[in-house]
Short mmCIF file of all heavy atoms in Angstrom, two decimals:
data_model
loop_
_atom_site.label_atom_id
_atom_site.label_comp_id
_atom_site.label_asym_id
_atom_site.label_seq_id
_atom_site.Cartn_x
_atom_site.Cartn_y
_atom_site.Cartn_z
N PHE A 1507 24.54 8.29 -5.21
CA PHE A 1507 25.17 8.07 -3.86
C PHE A 1507 24.56 8.97 -2.93
O PHE A 1507 25.05 8.90 -1.75
CB PHE A 1507 26.67 8.16 -3.96
CG PHE A 1507 27.44 6.85 -4.44
CD1 PHE A 1507 28.77 6.87 -4.64
CD2 PHE A 1507 26.79 5.69 -4.68
CE1 PHE A 1507 29.46 5.66 -5.05
CE2 PHE A 1507 27.37 4.52 -5.14
CZ PHE A 1507 28.76 4.57 -5.31
N GLU A 1508 23.57 9.89 -3.29
CA GLU A 1508 23.02 10.65 -2.28
C GLU A 1508 22.04 9.90 -1.42
O GLU A 1508 21.99 10.16 -0.19
CB GLU A 1508 22.34 11.93 -2.92
CG GLU A 1508 23.28 12.92 -3.44
CD GLU A 1508 24.10 12.56 -4.63
OE1 GLU A 1508 23.52 12.04 -5.63
OE2 GLU A 1508 25.37 12.65 -4.54
N GLY A 1509 21.10 9.06 -1.96
CA GLY A 1509 20.10 8.34 -1.27
C GLY A 1509 20.75 7.50 -0.17
O GLY A 1509 20.22 7.64 0.97
N PRO A 1510 21.55 6.59 -0.35
CA PRO A 1510 21.94 6.19 -1.67
C PRO A 1510 20.96 5.15 -2.30
O PRO A 1510 20.21 4.49 -1.57
CB PRO A 1510 23.24 5.34 -1.39
CG PRO A 1510 23.03 4.75 -0.08
CD PRO A 1510 22.16 5.79 0.66
N SER A 1511 20.99 5.01 -3.65
CA SER A 1511 20.18 4.18 -4.39
C SER A 1511 20.95 3.50 -5.50
O SER A 1511 21.31 4.21 -6.39
CB SER A 1511 18.90 4.81 -4.81
OG SER A 1511 18.22 3.93 -5.73
N VAL A 1512 21.22 2.25 -5.38
CA VAL A 1512 22.08 1.50 -6.29
C VAL A 1512 21.32 0.36 -6.81
O VAL A 1512 21.00 -0.54 -6.01
CB VAL A 1512 23.47 1.14 -5.77
CG1 VAL A 1512 24.19 0.43 -6.77
CG2 VAL A 1512 24.24 2.34 -5.38
N LYS A 1513 21.08 0.19 -8.10
CA LYS A 1513 20.47 -0.93 -8.71
C LYS A 1513 21.20 -1.51 -9.86
O LYS A 1513 21.40 -0.76 -10.79
CB LYS A 1513 19.10 -0.59 -9.18
CG LYS A 1513 18.09 -0.25 -8.14
CD LYS A 1513 16.66 -0.14 -8.67
CE LYS A 1513 15.50 -0.08 -7.65
NZ LYS A 1513 15.53 1.17 -6.77
N TRP A 1514 21.57 -2.71 -9.72
CA TRP A 1514 22.31 -3.32 -10.94
C TRP A 1514 21.48 -4.31 -11.68
O TRP A 1514 20.55 -5.11 -10.90
CB TRP A 1514 23.50 -4.07 -10.33
CG TRP A 1514 24.73 -3.26 -10.09
CD1 TRP A 1514 25.04 -2.56 -8.94
CD2 TRP A 1514 25.78 -2.86 -11.03
NE1 TRP A 1514 26.12 -1.85 -9.06
CE2 TRP A 1514 26.62 -2.01 -10.22
CE3 TRP A 1514 26.04 -3.09 -12.26
CZ2 TRP A 1514 27.68 -1.34 -10.88
CZ3 TRP A 1514 27.08 -2.54 -12.92
CH2 TRP A 1514 27.95 -1.72 -12.22
N PHE A 1515 21.53 -4.50 -12.93
CA PHE A 1515 20.81 -5.43 -13.69
C PHE A 1515 19.28 -5.24 -13.45
O PHE A 1515 18.62 -6.11 -12.97
CB PHE A 1515 21.29 -6.89 -13.37
CG PHE A 1515 22.81 -7.02 -13.46
CD1 PHE A 1515 23.50 -7.20 -12.26
CD2 PHE A 1515 23.48 -6.81 -14.59
CE1 PHE A 1515 24.85 -7.26 -12.33
CE2 PHE A 1515 24.88 -6.85 -14.69
CZ PHE A 1515 25.56 -7.01 -13.49
N VAL A 1516 18.86 -3.99 -13.64
CA VAL A 1516 17.49 -3.53 -13.23
C VAL A 1516 16.46 -4.39 -13.93
O VAL A 1516 16.40 -4.74 -15.19
CB VAL A 1516 17.35 -2.07 -13.67
CG1 VAL A 1516 15.99 -1.55 -13.29
CG2 VAL A 1516 18.46 -1.25 -12.97
N ASN A 1517 15.53 -4.86 -13.05
CA ASN A 1517 14.37 -5.80 -13.41
C ASN A 1517 14.86 -7.14 -13.99
O ASN A 1517 13.97 -7.83 -14.51
CB ASN A 1517 13.55 -5.07 -14.48
CG ASN A 1517 12.79 -3.89 -13.87
OD1 ASN A 1517 12.56 -3.84 -12.70
ND2 ASN A 1517 12.47 -2.96 -14.66
N ALA A 1518 16.03 -7.53 -13.90
CA ALA A 1518 16.41 -8.89 -14.27
C ALA A 1518 15.80 -9.84 -13.22
O ALA A 1518 15.70 -9.45 -12.07
CB ALA A 1518 17.89 -9.10 -14.39
N LYS A 1519 15.55 -11.17 -13.76
CA LYS A 1519 15.00 -12.19 -12.81
C LYS A 1519 15.97 -13.31 -12.88
O LYS A 1519 16.41 -13.67 -13.95
CB LYS A 1519 13.62 -12.60 -13.23
CG LYS A 1519 12.60 -11.53 -13.40
CD LYS A 1519 12.18 -10.94 -12.06
CE LYS A 1519 11.18 -9.72 -12.39
NZ LYS A 1519 11.25 -8.70 -11.34
N LEU A 1520 16.14 -13.93 -11.69
CA LEU A 1520 17.04 -14.98 -11.58
C LEU A 1520 17.00 -15.74 -10.25
O LEU A 1520 16.26 -15.24 -9.41
CB LEU A 1520 18.50 -14.51 -11.73
CG LEU A 1520 19.01 -13.77 -10.44
CD1 LEU A 1520 20.56 -13.85 -10.45
CD2 LEU A 1520 18.61 -12.36 -10.40
N ASN A 1521 17.72 -16.88 -10.10
CA ASN A 1521 17.85 -17.43 -8.83
C ASN A 1521 19.33 -17.80 -8.80
O ASN A 1521 19.90 -18.38 -9.76
CB ASN A 1521 17.05 -18.70 -8.57
CG ASN A 1521 17.12 -19.12 -7.11
OD1 ASN A 1521 18.24 -19.61 -6.67
ND2 ASN A 1521 16.16 -18.88 -6.25
N ILE A 1522 20.08 -17.35 -7.78
CA ILE A 1522 21.51 -17.56 -7.70
C ILE A 1522 21.90 -19.05 -7.71
O ILE A 1522 22.85 -19.42 -8.33
CB ILE A 1522 22.22 -16.77 -6.55
CG1 ILE A 1522 23.63 -16.73 -6.63
CG2 ILE A 1522 21.74 -17.31 -5.18
CD1 ILE A 1522 24.38 -15.70 -5.66
N THR A 1523 21.03 -19.83 -7.09
CA THR A 1523 21.42 -21.33 -7.04
C THR A 1523 21.19 -21.95 -8.35
O THR A 1523 21.84 -22.99 -8.65
CB THR A 1523 20.60 -22.05 -5.92
OG1 THR A 1523 19.20 -22.16 -6.40
CG2 THR A 1523 20.68 -21.34 -4.51
N GLU A 1524 20.32 -21.48 -9.26
CA GLU A 1524 20.18 -21.93 -10.65
C GLU A 1524 21.60 -21.78 -11.29
O GLU A 1524 21.87 -22.56 -12.20
CB GLU A 1524 19.09 -21.35 -11.40
CG GLU A 1524 17.78 -21.92 -11.11
CD GLU A 1524 16.62 -21.44 -11.98
OE1 GLU A 1524 16.77 -20.28 -12.46
OE2 GLU A 1524 15.60 -22.14 -12.00
#
Side-chain angles (χ1 to χ4, degrees):
F1507 278 176
E1508 282 72 49
S1511 167
V1512 175
K1513 292 189 165 71
W1514 280 92
F1515 312 110
V1516 182
N1517 292 333
K1519 306 290 176 205
L1520 74 154
N1521 188 288
I1522 192 168
T1523 71
E1524 277 187 340

